[in-house]
Amino acid sequence: MSETLGRVLVVDDDEVIRQLITVNLQLEGFEVHGASDGQDCLERVEEVEPDVVTLDVMMPRLDGWETAQRLRDAERTRHVKVVLITARAQEADLRRGHEIGVDAYLTKPFDPAELIDVVRDLAGVGPAD
């Protein structure tokens, strides 16, 4: 089996967006796992042990804000890099993400190339050749 660039957990309640992110990251060389909402993410994160979590904000059951906060609060997951991907781009939203301690913030619609660059950077693999 070939080496991957890292492990990513993609969390979005929209299956089409989850698939778009997954395919782009897999083509880049990442091992990608999916979760349909924040609750699903928290149930899978210790099993998957991702380097990076991409996290939608507006989701049922448990939204991205609360999920990111719980990832930061838990000893076993506070090291995981978190990228919020959301249509919410108001100054208050950016501030809230910063206060929680997310590592990056992308707004929808996002450029897949930018997402790849952010994930590569957070996973510690640097820019593509």
Side-chain angles (χ1 to χ4, degrees), residues 49-120:
E49 296 183 346
D51 301 297
V52 179
V53 172
T54 69
L55 193 56
D56 185 22
V57 171
M58 305 302 290
M59 294 182 292
R61 293 203 301 168
L62 192 62
D63 69 23
W65 300 119
E66 184 62 27
T67 304
Q69 188 65 63
R70 291 185 190 186
L71 289 170
R72 285 293 174 253
D73 289 347
E75 182 70 35
R76 292 185 59 134
T77 57
R78 69 175 43 130
H79 69 282
V80 175
K81 302 297 185 187
V82 176
V83 181
L84 285 181
I85 302 177
T86 180
R88 298 182 58 113
Q90 302 300 317
E91 185 62 38
D93 298 316
L94 297 171
R95 190 169 40 255
R96 184 172 182 187
H98 180 73
E99 289 168 0
I100 290 170
V102 301
D103 299 285
Y105 201 106
L106 294 175
T107 56
K108 292 179 183 176
F110 59 89
D111 176 359
E114 182 182 9
L115 170 70
I116 289 166
D117 288 347
V118 167
V119 172
R120 286 182 68 96

Side-chain angles (χ1 to χ4, degrees), residues 2-67:
S2 65
E3 279 290 309
T4 66
L5 295 179
R7 201 172 297 123
V8 181
L9 182 57
V10 175
V11 187
D12 200 303
D13 60 319
D14 184 323
E15 187 174 347
V16 173
I17 293 174
R18 199 167 59 242
Q19 277 299 101
L20 171 73
I21 295 170
T22 296
V23 167
N24 276 282
L25 292 174
Q26 285 174 335
L27 288 171
E28 191 67 19
F30 287 96
E31 177 185 327
V32 184
H33 300 265
S36 60
D37 61 30
Q39 188 63 44
D40 192 21
C41 169
L42 295 176
E43 291 167 3
R44 302 206 57 217
V45 70
E46 287 189 36
E47 157 200 337
V48 171
E49 296 183 346
D51 301 297
V52 179
V53 172
T54 69
L55 193 56
D56 185 22
V57 171
M58 305 302 290
M59 294 182 292
R61 293 203 301 168
L62 192 62
D63 69 23
W65 300 119
E66 184 62 27
T67 304

